[in-house]
Amino acid sequence: LYAMEGIISSPKGNFSLPETNLDFRVEGDLVNVNAIIRKLALAENEVSGTIDVKLDEAKPFVKADLVSTFFNGNDLIGSKKQAFVMPSLISSANALSFVPADDFSLSFLNVVNGNVALKIGDLMLPEDIELSNIDMTAKLQNGNLIINPLSVGFGGGKIAGDVIANANDNSIRLNL
């Protein structure tokens, strides 16, 4: 069994990322790796939790339990080509303009299997979208991702549902 712990820092702009600091402990061997993230700070965002990886299966199996009280996604997003820009003849609309213009493949879902529990107190997104009390559990098995439950506070209300994404037929289904 091997172990390592410490604090890793990267200045703003390194790898085109904001300032990043990681306080962690990792232990494991060639079969199992366990990480405790005491604090991962990306710009002003903080994440903590545990990540366990099993390497003795056909695909690595990742189990993660992550928590953040506040996360501003705008800190991590650069300028990108947009898929949709409202025409000038429409003075206002409620469409989101941060959807990427490029085709999107779900093939990356075939890389690992795993389970992830994620809780975020407040999440800021582009277009001044604010989400709160995010609580989700995701299970990924052979390219099939199931997020259930999915609970999000939005606009003074609550959205609850599930998401199924399948890399095998490149489909996504959202049930609210």
Side-chain angles (χ1 to χ4, degrees):
L1 184 67
Y2 298 94
M4 176 175 69
E5 66 181 292
I7 298 173
I8 298 173
S9 296
S10 178
K12 180 179 179 180
N14 198 22
F15 299 107
S16 299
L17 292 174
E19 179 180 357
T20 304
N21 295 291
L22 173 62
D23 181 358
F24 71 98
R25 175 176 173 78
V26 176
E27 61 183 34
D29 53 32
L30 295 176
V31 177
N32 294 301
V33 178
N34 307 95
I36 297 170
I37 301 170
R38 291 185 279 258
K39 181 173 155 183
L40 169 61
L42 298 163
E44 302 298 319
N45 306 302
E46 292 186 11
V47 178
S48 61
T50 60
I51 301 173
D52 301 315
V53 182
K54 292 176 80 176
L55 301 168
D56 61 345
E57 300 179 12
K59 293 180 186 178
F61 185 88
V62 178
K63 181 178 184 236
D65 189 354
L66 303 172
V67 176
S68 177
T69 56
F70 176 80
F71 200 91
N72 186 347
N74 293 312
D75 290 343
L76 306 177
I77 298 173
S79 63
K80 296 187 178 192
K81 183 177 172 187
Q82 304 301 313
F84 183 74
V85 177
M86 296 302 297
S88 60
L89 59 105
I90 298 174
S91 63
S92 70
N94 293 325
L96 302 176
S97 65
F98 64 87
V99 177
D102 305 324
D103 288 342
F104 191 74
S105 170
L106 297 174
S107 62
F108 65 91
L109 294 176
N110 279 308
V111 175
V112 299
N113 292 323
N115 299 328
V116 174
L118 177 65
K119 292 182 188 293
I120 302 175
D122 293 299
L123 176 63
M124 300 294 297
L125 296 172
E127 308 286 329
D128 295 325
I129 295 174
E130 297 179 30
L131 305 177
S132 62
N133 300 318
I134 298 164
D135 187 0
M136 61 168 272
T137 301
K139 295 183 180 188
L140 177 59
Q141 186 70 35
N142 297 323
N144 191 35
L145 174 65
I146 298 172
I147 301 174
N148 188 5
L150 171 61
S151 177
V152 177
F154 180 68
K158 181 178 176 180
I159 299 171
D162 61 81
V163 177
I164 298 174
N166 189 331
N168 302 310
D169 62 7
N170 209 47
S171 66
I172 298 175
R173 187 180 83 209
L174 174 64
N175 298 313
L176 299 176

